[in-house]
């Protein structure tokens, strides 16, 4: 309960995309979210009834499409109550990508996005808009084990960012283990969308609107002037509502590793590092501590990725998922 005696709810959406039987297939993403589900239940006080798990396993009834993921996130936010101190958590394991920025002020930069199983991209603006809808006093923690995941909540403050160019990761120790990147280059995503629409254009928005209509991301649905207006409104709200906490599997310009496959249990390197840190430290950990320790685990194992933390100064020192 919070100081006013209101019951604090713990709500979660867990998404794992392995893209089975495609050229983009991964192996550890579903395992990542199932392991996290068990951790949330046994350690952090979450209830089964307050979680939604979306995977693209053949037997899954609800697939992790862009529309389904956003709908699940919206349901989670709608359940949160003002002043309750509710804890919201989103774990995503799957491919990530970077696309040319559609922000009017940054036409030559790149923006980050996750890649649902139907390639209906969810971008940093979509996550920013979601966070800005949170009731006062609520927290939203996003753990993204995907490539280019640094900065996935637009305008969130960088607390633990890129290593300098002089830093060097050690050579991979586990050379016998299959390592797959969780990155989908811009051209591959564009080629896939083009094959579905049959339209010859390099404009992402055209393809996404043709395929998904109103379920496409905000960046692709809004005219330039409306997007500028939305961004200005978001900036105004960010000063008062900065409840987003992003734990990214790597820097915005890095890839995240998917480990294993045919033999042995597959997993995401970052998700596994988080689980390792939690197992080795039974007490409550600050968000900043958790990310630093996960970096140490990955460096020790020889992975060339550097997890980052984006959130307010207050949330950097807050306890991960408000562990009792």
């Amino acid at each position: 309960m919070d100081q006013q005696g209101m019951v604090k709810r713990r709500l979660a959406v867990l998404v794992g995309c392995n893209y089975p039987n495609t050229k983009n297939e991964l192996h550890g993403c579903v395992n990542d979210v199932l392991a996290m589900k068990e951790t949330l239940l046994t350690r952090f006080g979450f209830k089964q009834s307050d979680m939604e798990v979306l995977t693209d396993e053949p037997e899954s009834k609800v697939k992790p499409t862009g529309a389904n993921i956003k709908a699940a996130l919206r349901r989670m936010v709608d359940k949160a109550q003002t002043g309750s101190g509710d804890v919201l958590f989103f774990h995503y394991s799957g491919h990530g990508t970077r696309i040319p920025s559609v922000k009017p002020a940054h036409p030559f930069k790149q923006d980050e996005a996750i890649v649902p199983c139907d390639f209906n991209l969810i971008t940093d603006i979509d996550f920013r808009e979601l966070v800005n809808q949170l009731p006062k006093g609520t927290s939203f923690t996003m753990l993204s084990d995907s490539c280019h995941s640094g900065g996935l909540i637009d305008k969130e403050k960088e607390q633990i960012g890129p290593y300098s160019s002089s830093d060097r990761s050690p050579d991979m120790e586990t050379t016998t283990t299959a390592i797959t990147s969780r990155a989908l280059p811009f051209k591959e995503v564009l080629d896939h969308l083009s094959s579905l629409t049959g339209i010859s254009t390099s404009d992402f928005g055209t393809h996404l609107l043709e395929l998904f209509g109103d379920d496409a991301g905000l960046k692709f649905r809004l005219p330039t002037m409306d997007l500028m207006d939305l961004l200005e409104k978001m900036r105004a709200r960010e000063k008062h509502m900065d409840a987003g906490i992003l734990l990214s599997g790597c820097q915005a310009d890095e890839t995240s590793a998917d480990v294993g496959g045919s033999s042995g249990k597959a997993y995401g390197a970052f998700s596994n590092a988080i689980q390792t840190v939690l197992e080795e430290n039974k007490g409550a950990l600050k968000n900043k501590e958790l990310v630093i320790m996960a970096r140490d685990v990955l460096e020790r194992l020889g992975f060339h990725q550097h997890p980052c933390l984006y959130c307010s100064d207050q949330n950097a020192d807050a306890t991960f998922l408000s562990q009792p």
Side-chain angles (χ1 to χ4, degrees):
M1 295 187 180
D2 70 356
Q3 293 181 346
Q4 279 95 28
M6 297 182 69
V7 177
K8 178 184 293 187
R9 296 186 68 181
R10 297 173 180 273
L11 309 166
V13 173
L14 312 177
V15 174
C17 296
N18 277 342
Y19 317 90
N21 303 315
T22 73
K23 67 177 183 179
N24 305 306
E25 185 169 10
L26 299 172
H27 300 283
C29 301
V30 173
N31 289 338
D32 288 346
V33 298
L34 294 180
M36 180 56 74
K37 176 184 176 182
E38 184 65 21
T39 299
L40 296 179
L41 290 170
T42 58
R43 177 164 178 166
F44 291 99
F46 285 72
K47 298 179 181 178
Q48 178 86 33
S49 58
D50 287 328
M51 288 191 221
E52 287 194 57
V53 181
L54 285 71
T55 70
D56 56 3
E57 294 178 296
E59 62 271 23
S60 297
K61 294 181 179 179
V62 182
K63 302 295 184 183
T65 64
N68 287 342
I69 293 171
K70 287 188 285 189
L73 291 171
R74 179 59 58 190
R75 284 192 293 271
M76 180 170 68
V77 170
D78 288 345
K79 290 177 183 177
Q81 298 182 2
T82 300
S84 62
D86 289 344
V87 177
L88 280 59
F89 180 57
F90 174 48
H91 184 138
Y92 171 76
S93 278
H95 278 303
T97 192
R98 290 205 292 178
I99 60 176
S101 178
V102 296
K103 299 172 191 172
H106 303 287
F108 303 110
K109 291 189 176 182
Q110 292 181 299
D111 295 326
E112 299 77 33
I114 64 171
V115 186
C117 67
D118 63 346
F119 278 61
N120 186 6
L121 303 184
I122 303 177
T123 73
D124 53 350
I125 283 289
D126 294 308
F127 290 117
R128 177 78 259 171
E129 191 268 344
L130 185 81
V131 168
N132 280 0
Q133 301 305 313
L134 291 172
K136 186 177 180 180
T138 302
S139 66
F140 176 90
T141 299
M142 176 177 174
L143 190 159
S144 189
D145 193 349
S146 58
C147 293
H148 312 302
S149 46
L152 264 173
I153 301 178
D154 190 55
K155 302 301 182 183
E156 201 63 69
K157 183 177 180 180
E158 181 183 282
Q159 297 289 343
I160 300 176
Y163 273 16
S164 68
S165 58
S166 61
D167 290 315
R168 188 175 68 86
S169 294
D171 293 332
M172 185 65 67
E173 297 174 358
T174 54
T175 55
T176 59
T177 302
I179 304 293
T180 304
S181 169
R182 290 186 173 181
L184 276 179
F186 167 76
K187 187 177 185 306
E188 288 189 25
V189 178
L190 180 61
D191 288 347
H192 178 77
L193 294 174
S194 298
S195 71
L196 296 177
T197 63
I199 300 172
S200 179
T201 177
S202 61
D203 179 55
F204 250 72
T206 298
H207 296 294
L208 292 171
L209 290 172
E210 175 72 16
L211 291 168
F212 307 112
D214 289 342
D215 288 328
L218 286 171
K219 286 184 178 182
F220 313 109
R221 286 191 285 113
L222 296 178
T224 300
M225 292 304 298
D226 290 345
L227 179 61
M228 292 177 66
D229 184 55
L230 174 66
L231 292 173
E232 286 302 318
K233 291 179 179 177
M234 285 183 176
R235 291 187 186 99
R237 293 201 69 187
E238 284 159 23
K239 297 177 182 178
H240 307 286
M241 301 187 67
D242 194 3
I245 304 167
L246 170 64
L247 289 74
S248 66
C250 61
Q251 299 170 188
D253 61 350
E254 290 181 332
T255 61
S256 290
D258 189 73
V259 184
S262 57
S263 61
K265 186 173 182 178
Y267 57 85
F270 179 52
S271 294
N272 184 67
I274 292 290
Q275 292 291 345
T276 298
V277 172
L278 293 176
E279 290 170 5
E280 294 177 350
N281 300 270
K282 298 302 182 182
L285 291 171
K286 296 178 180 179
N287 288 309
K288 185 181 295 184
E289 292 174 330
L290 180 58
V291 172
I292 291 173
M293 290 179 181
R295 274 194 170 193
D296 291 341
V297 170
L298 290 170
E299 184 174 5
R300 187 170 71 237
L301 295 175
F303 288 98
H304 295 251
Q305 63 188 84
H306 303 101
C308 300
L309 175 65
Y310 296 81
C311 62
S312 66
D313 295 340
Q314 181 179 357
N315 281 330
D317 290 320
T319 303
F320 177 64
L321 297 182
S322 298
Q323 179 178 344

